[in-house]
């Protein structure tokens, strides 16, 4: 789930597709994600699940301009961002 806007993206590439490509193609997801996120500019929040590695990444921009909240609804994990 992604909410936000990445600044300085190449024309014709959506923010969501770019982020999915960055997060999906990496061997060492934790190290690579941190390095890539350090280069992103914009306001965003996302939750990403790598099923093959059983990893969940929760993240938002360093200024916290997009909220990222979690809770339980009917016993299931739910996310919201505004």
């Amino acid at each position: 789930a992604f909410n936000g806007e990445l600044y300085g993206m190449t024309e014709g590439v959506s923010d969501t597709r770019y982020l999915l490509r960055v997060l999906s193609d990496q061997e060492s997801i934790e190290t690579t994600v941190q390095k890539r996120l350090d280069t992103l500019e914009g306001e965003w929040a996302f939750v990403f699940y790598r099923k093959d590695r059983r990893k969940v990444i929760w993240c938002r921009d360093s200024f916290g301009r997009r909220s990222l909240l979690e809770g339980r609804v009917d016993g299931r994990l739910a996310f919201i961002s505004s």
Side-chain angles (χ1 to χ4, degrees):
F2 173 76
N3 177 31
E5 180 179 359
L6 299 176
Y7 304 148
M9 297 297 301
T10 304
E11 188 174 322
V13 177
S14 77
D15 299 350
T16 305
R17 286 186 188 271
Y18 175 78
L19 193 56
L20 282 174
R21 188 172 358 128
V22 167
L23 298 174
S24 297
D25 293 343
Q26 307 306 320
E27 286 296 316
S28 176
I29 192 166
E30 294 85 0
T31 303
T32 302
V33 167
Q34 184 60 50
K35 287 179 184 177
R36 294 288 179 114
L37 292 177
D38 287 344
T39 67
L40 295 179
E41 293 183 32
E43 51 187 76
W44 39 267
F46 69 84
V47 176
F48 179 77
Y49 176 60
R50 275 281 300 256
K51 186 176 182 179
D52 62 329
R53 298 191 181 272
R54 299 183 65 186
K55 295 280 184 182
V56 177
I57 298 172
W58 301 60
C59 191
R60 67 181 190 169
D61 67 88
S62 59
F63 294 108
R65 292 173 282 201
R66 300 286 174 147
S67 63
L68 182 57
L69 306 171
E70 59 90 15
R72 296 259 176 203
V73 177
D74 296 328
R76 294 182 149 177
L77 188 59
F79 309 98
I80 187 170
S81 177
S82 60

